[in-house]
Amino acid sequence: MEAKNIYVPEVADIIKIERMTELETFYDIKLPGGRDLGHEPGQFVEVSVFGIGEAPISVSSSHFKKGSFEMVVRNVGNVTQAMQKLKVGDKLGIRGPFGHGFKTKDFEGKDIVIIAGGIGLVPLRSLINTIIDPAERKKYGRVIILYGSKTKEEFLFRGELETWEKRDDIEYHVTVDRKTSGWNGNVGVITTLIPGLKLDLHNTIAAICGPPVMYKFVILSLRSKGLKDNQLYVSLERKMKCGVGKCGHCQINNIYVCQEGPVFNYTYIEDLKEAI
Amino acid sequence: MSAKAIAREKIPDAVLLLKTKYRVIAPVPKGKTFVFKKIDDPQEIVLDYNTTILPLKKFFLPPREVLVEYNLKKQEYREPEIKSEPTVFFGIHNYELQGILRLDYAFGTGVKDETYLKKRKNNIFIGVTYTPDDFHFAKSVGIPTDLKEGFDIFLTKYNSHYRVEALTDKGKSIVSQWSEFLEECSYDSDPVVHFKNKLKQSVAGIREVFHGAYNHPVWKETSKKCYSCGTCNLVCPTCYCFDVSDEVVLGTNRGSRSRRWDSCQILGFTEVAGGEAFREKRYDRVRHRMSRKFAYIMDDRDRPFCVGCGRCIRQCTANISITDVMNALL
Amino acid sequence: MNNLSIRVPYVTRVEGHGTIAVDLKEGKLIKSVLEIVEPPRYFEAMMKGYLYTDAAVISSRICGICSVGHQITSVKTTEKALGFDISDQTVTLRKLLVYGATMQSHILHIFFLAAPDLFNAPSVIPLAKTHPDTVKMALRMKRLSNDICDIIGGRTIHPNRLVPGGFTKLPTEEQLLWIKDKLENQMVPDAKTSFELLKSLADKFPAFIRETEYIGLKTDSEYAFYDGDISSTDTGLTPEKDYMSITNEFIVSHSTAKHAKHRRSSYAVGALARLNNNYGKLNPLAGEVADALGMKPIVANPFLNTVAQLIETIHVTEESIKILDALLTTGIKAERPFVPAKLHEGTGVGCTEVPRGILFHEYTYDNKGRIVKANCVIPTNQNAQNIDDDMKELVPWMIANNFDKDKMTLTLEMLVRAYDPCISCSVHFLDVKYVE
Amino acid sequence: MSKPKVAFFDFTSCEGCQLSKLNLENDLLDILELVDIVNFREAISDHGEDYEIAFIEGSISTPHCVERIHKIRRQAKIVIALGSCAHIGGINAIRNNMDQDEVRETVYGNDKYLFPSIKAQAVSDVVKVDYVIPGCPMDNQEFKRVLSALLTGKIPEIPEYSVCVECKAKENECLYDYGIVCMGPITRAGCRAACPTNGHYCYGCRGLVPDLNKNAAKDVMEKYKLSIDQIKKRFYMFNTNYVNMEEKSYE
């Protein structure tokens, strides 16, 4: 039998597009025949736009979502810019899912703190919606969501944020770096939300994703709170060109982020220079 | 002991016979140096050569190759046709083939890269002994001159003739067709090859040297001389990093996605969409290359991704030597 | 018509920036000039201090259109100044390159710059629709001449194989065979078609005559392009080293380019000047075509320079086939450029017939092979005064022939275009210290 | 969809880039299908002033050039500097290192103010430039790539790595092995190593690589026995403006 070529994308349909902010757009993608992507929360896909190129994009929908999967794309490069021009019914190339995400099995019975900075919410939303799925929620302890954004105008998934805030089984805290009109909540970087948390130090894990500068400070803060390194999970951003551990662009010391990550237990990468 | 041998002057005839069935790739002169090339006239082949400009990887991982073809209108992606015509690689040094074996490991383990692997089918390797020059250090990285791993046939040079050893069934079948060119000869032992050890320490355990070497002054010192031109990566038999880009033929619906040899020495290599580069300092990049060779990547037998061909030293305009850098760490 | 003022700012379809200015007041022509408004470029000053290996690289940038001509002339000048030996093979290949560049430049001028006037079109773009076969043929001819330059010189614009002493890379015999085949089976028939076309358009060229002095290289052995003595239709032969006695450059206020004069108030160089000096050496087909078009010396209608270019295109095609035959008989010999054992001081003059006329370079080197002085005299500078003088007679001639203003403007533009002026070249600028 | 209107403007240059486009020959007709060329002085007589994409050739070297380029920038949505002269000042900038007044006086004598000139500058020194197509002359394959990218709505990217990358891919012998000083290691690629592939040293026409290690360059050139003056001269050949800037930042 002919071995499958790992570089050839599948052609998928865009079934829904929603502008979220000035820079970010939401896409709902249907694979051929409505096949499930079968991803873990935190995994990514390589998305191709015909004629333009390919870029790694985090999957944002729950592991349990049927028939299609979702992503949110920030307009920063050639591919993402070209995606802005696409319409419902247009085609995209999809490869993946790639790498390792959050192993929710390991989180069962535990309290989960989710710390999302800006667009870092995109992959973490996949985790959130997986663990708060009605059939799943009872498997986990407390679910605490910390979300930080530059301004309230840059909030993603606003409707969902409201539901999370309302739900009794989710502790939701949000902050903005800069107050704009109409904002009455917290102002300050995301680390300011951490000291006030009351955590069961022995039975909590934290999942972190955000801009590169955020990690160092969030980790310091969680450590000073008393969490151990093995309780921390981070999702790293790198230039993942091939997605399959060959091209070398995402390599941090001896690991390929696209293969072993992008989600790592912090103990695994804390000794890696260049990681954070 | 007695063995089969071939006289140097009969080699072109032997190659001519091979050419009836195979594409033959062999070293030929190019100015002051050598290159591997498809052979039209077997007389051009040189068997006494030091190193070619580029390693054999250019045949399996070309400087630029199409990964995916597509049509903008039809909105389809297609795998390009990947040819693997039966090929004999003739007159190959053993470190060279070790380079290919490292690439086989890189592309054949984990997710399999068929674009590479398809070209590795139908290959026959005929090795030849070599006289190490000032740049070779294969022995220092665990590749003695008599290592014959991977070859189908191996030619050991005696003065004016080569002892012919068939090492695989494919090799045996070729040697049997060569009978008219071969003669019986007797020999006592293989010629002694003088090889100066270039590394202070053997490769066993060399990975440990990198523990605690992250802030060693040698990185900064070396980086002061380095242009970051990427030559060392490009000429390396075991470097395989690549960049990927799309192109549409102007005025048509034909598009393609290609990969191109890349270099971890270039600033943009680690840059992400937001503009941040994760190895921004030149010394970070110098360290990454050396560490990748000897610590980050090893094959299944724990052998480093350096085969001691010396190309990166020979071809560095800034005269940076991987062995000098390693010795500074040892 | 007593009062008239014509300004054609930035004449189009010429190389570089020039403005036609004509003023007629009360029946008296008070101004009729081609103002050269291209910014000055100071090349000779810029070359100072550079090594002999760099002279051709820099002087090539005087003009991309004429870069082959500048480079050939530059390496020849350096070789003369420093006493380099070059092989016969190098000379043959350089000639091929000069012929390829001549073809390329002439075809570009005939079909892309001049032809639209003959077809009453503003450019070649609409011609692609109205005369697709002609445009396709022209593109094909130009492509082949470019390919010749690419194969011999490395590339057409700013070639990168020419160095003092020889070539850094040689063409293969397969490539030369390919060129020969294409010249014989494509260029010759296309050139014949072009001849028929030009013949049918002959009445579109204004029948304006003004005799002048025609200057071009001349040699016993062939229609001179690569080298020879300087030949004048007025005064006969002058050795190349005495080129300054011919060019006598001077400054005029309406032009950033210098002008030149010899025996008369001006002289002409270029295809027509070469033809007037070399007619007897034309190859058979080119000779036939010249005769069929009535181009027998002395041809004194400046508009017919375009016709002379076609004749030369045919001539160099035949000449190239001839030398390719010879070259392919002996085969290409592997050789590297000559490298001098020791450098010494020296001065040299080099000249070549480039498409627009005779080009001179003169360099003086110090004993480390660095340029001390450089001077380049460019065809367009030499033609500049001749163009002004033509205009001075053309305007009254047009008035006498009842041209309206539009037709006068177009005819003036056609005149300037006929010279195929290369204004970038003309403003390379002279180092005045040197001409004191 | 209407075809984008494209204009070409030339400033102080040798016009090689204009010719380079005409040398696209057969592709030229395809290009005409894709864009409306409204201004291209060397090839067409019409002057359209309604354009979206302006390709600029040549350096800015007179007060009049400055005026013209500002006018173009106000009109054009996208400005592309094409060729070394426009991209980095190129060979025109060699004279920037000479005393400007003296240069003018040398040439014009008492009439030195007749034709005012300023230092030869890159287009981006005067107005905002969106993209560049480097090279002397520009590479017409790269021109096609950039045009294709613009028409497909992609940011035209040019290589950030050195000519060595392309030169090695072509398996050329290194010219340093012949004692020839080549600017390849520090020059931006994209030309497919045009000159070294033809055995000629690279003169740096595509500009220097973004993270230039200038001191390394000096060491290497010194190793090959060229005087500092000659090293500088080769640096200055196409990159005077850049090298000047660098030296200022070191002072």
Side-chain angles (χ1 to χ4, degrees), chain A residues 115 191 194-195 199 201 206 208 215-232 266-271 276:
Chain A
I115 303 170
T191 42
I194 297 171
L199 302 175
L201 292 178
I208 309 158
Y215 293 94
K216 207 171 272 173
F217 298 103
V218 167
I219 289 164
L220 274 175
S221 186
L222 291 173
R223 275 173 159 175
S224 65
K225 195 88 196 161
L227 286 182
K228 300 270 187 314
D229 290 349
N230 64 5
Q231 293 169 281
L232 312 181
Y266 185 59
T267 52
Y268 193 73
I269 55 159
E270 63 184 328
D271 291 333
I276 281 176

Side-chain angles (χ1 to χ4, degrees), chain A residues 7 48 91 246 249 251 256, chain B residues 75 106 111 113 262 269 292:
Chain A
Y7 297 113
S48 293
K91 313 261 187 213
K246 308 295 179 202
H249 287 269
Q251 198 181 13
Y256 283 97
Chain B
Q75 307 236 308
V111 181
D113 186 316
D262 207 346
F269 188 79
R292 197 173 195 267

